[in-house]
C-alpha cells in the first residue's frame, strides 16, 4: 500500500543499496610486512565488453582497495590481439566528465601509468607500473587509449586509510571476471 501511495503522489522508494562481494583473489599478492601489493592488470582478459576490460571487469563493476601508504605494482599486460591498451590511475570521473583519452596529464598519482598511455601498447606486450598509494581517495584504473575509457574500460581504485589489507570488491550482477 505504501508503494502504491508513493507512486500516486509521484515519489519513489529509496533505491536499494548495491550488493557486493569482497574477495582477495589469488592474483592479488600481498606482502603485509613490506606494505606492498602486486597484481596483474590484464587488458582484454576475456571478451566481455568487447574485450574492453581489466581482468574481466569494466564500467566500474569492480573496485580494487589498497591501504594508504602501500606500494602498488600493477603487472599490466595487453591480452587483446586486436587493439592497443594502457592503464592510467586517474581521478574518479563521473559519466559526464569522463575524458576521451587519458595520458600523463590525467594521472592522479605520480608514475601511475603504463608506457604510451594514449596510443597504448599491442599484445602481448606489457609494463610494470609501480607507485605508492600515499593519500586516501577514490580513483579509476582507466584505459587511456582514445575512446576506450568512455566505452567502459575502467574499474575503480580506492586508497583507504582504514583498510586492513588489499582486496577486490565486485558489484552484484557483474559479469564474471578473474577471481
Amino acid at each position: 500500500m505504501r508503494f502504491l501511495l508513493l507512486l500516486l503522489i509521484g515519489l519513489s522508494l529509496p533505491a536499494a543499496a548495491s550488493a557486493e562481494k569482497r574477495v582477495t583473489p589469488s592474483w592479488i599478492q600481498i606482502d603485509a610486512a613490506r606494505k606492498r601489493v602486486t597484481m596483474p592488470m590484464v587488458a582484454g582478459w576475456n571478451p566481455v565488453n568487447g574485450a574492453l576490460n581489466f581482468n574481466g571487469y569494466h564500467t566500474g563493476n569492480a573496485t580494487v582497495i589498497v591501504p594508504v601508504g602501500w606500494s602498488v605494482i600493477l603487472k599490466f599486460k595487453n591480452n587483446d590481439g586486436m587493439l592497443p591498451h594502457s592503464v592510467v590511475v586517474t581521478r574518479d570521473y563521473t559519466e559526464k566528465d569522463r575524458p576521451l583519452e587519458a595520458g600523463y596529464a590525467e594521472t592522479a598519482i605520480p608514475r601511475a601509468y603504463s608506457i604510451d598511455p594514449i596510443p597504448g601498447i599491442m599484445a602481448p606486450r606489457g609494463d610494470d607500473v609501480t607507485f605508492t598509494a600515499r593519500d586516501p581517495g577514490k580513483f579509476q584504473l582507466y584505459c587511456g587509449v582514445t575512446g576506450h575509457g568512455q566505452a567502459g574500460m575502467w574499474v575503480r581504485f580506492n586508497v583507504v586509510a582504514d583498510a586492513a589489507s588489499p582486496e577486490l570488491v565486485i558489484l552484484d550482477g557483474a559479469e564474471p571476471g578473474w577471481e
Side-chain angles (χ1 to χ4, degrees), residues 33-49:
R34 292 186 174 156
K35 293 186 176 181
R36 181 173 59 201
V37 59
T38 304
M39 57 188 118
M41 190 58 43
V42 182
W45 184 78
N46 63 13
V48 169
N49 194 42

Side-chain angles (χ1 to χ4, degrees), residues 123-144:
R125 289 185 57 209
D127 185 27
D128 288 353
V129 178
T130 303
F131 60 94
T132 301
R134 293 191 202 291
D135 300 312
K138 293 183 178 186
F139 307 94
Q140 292 180 3
L141 295 169
Y142 197 87
C143 182

Side-chain angles (χ1 to χ4, degrees), residues 22-110:
R22 293 178 171 270
V23 296
T24 305
S26 60
W27 50 266
I28 292 181
Q29 300 169 2
I30 299 169
D31 183 344
R34 292 186 174 156
K35 293 186 176 181
R36 181 173 59 201
V37 59
T38 304
M39 57 188 118
M41 190 58 43
V42 182
W45 184 78
N46 63 13
V48 169
N49 194 42
L52 296 177
N53 64 69
F54 292 114
N55 296 358
Y57 301 103
H58 61 90
T59 322
N61 65 2
T63 304
V64 174
I65 306 285
V66 173
V68 168
W70 280 51
S71 294
V72 178
I73 303 168
L74 299 177
K75 299 278 202 179
F76 175 73
K77 182 177 185 226
N78 184 358
N79 195 49
D80 181 351
M82 301 292 289
L83 296 170
H85 295 294
S86 67
V87 65
V88 180
V89 178
T90 65
R91 68 181 177 85
D92 189 21
Y93 296 111
T94 67
E95 196 62 38
K96 292 179 182 176
D97 69 351
R98 192 160 286 119
L100 181 62
E101 57 192 26
Y104 305 116
E106 288 73 33
T107 304
I109 298 174

Side-chain angles (χ1 to χ4, degrees), residues 135-160:
D135 300 312
K138 293 183 178 186
F139 307 94
Q140 292 180 3
L141 295 169
Y142 197 87
C143 182
V145 175
T146 305
H148 291 197
Q150 285 186 340
M153 193 167 181
W154 61 276
V155 295
R156 298 185 189 287
F157 180 79
N158 292 351
V159 179
V160 180

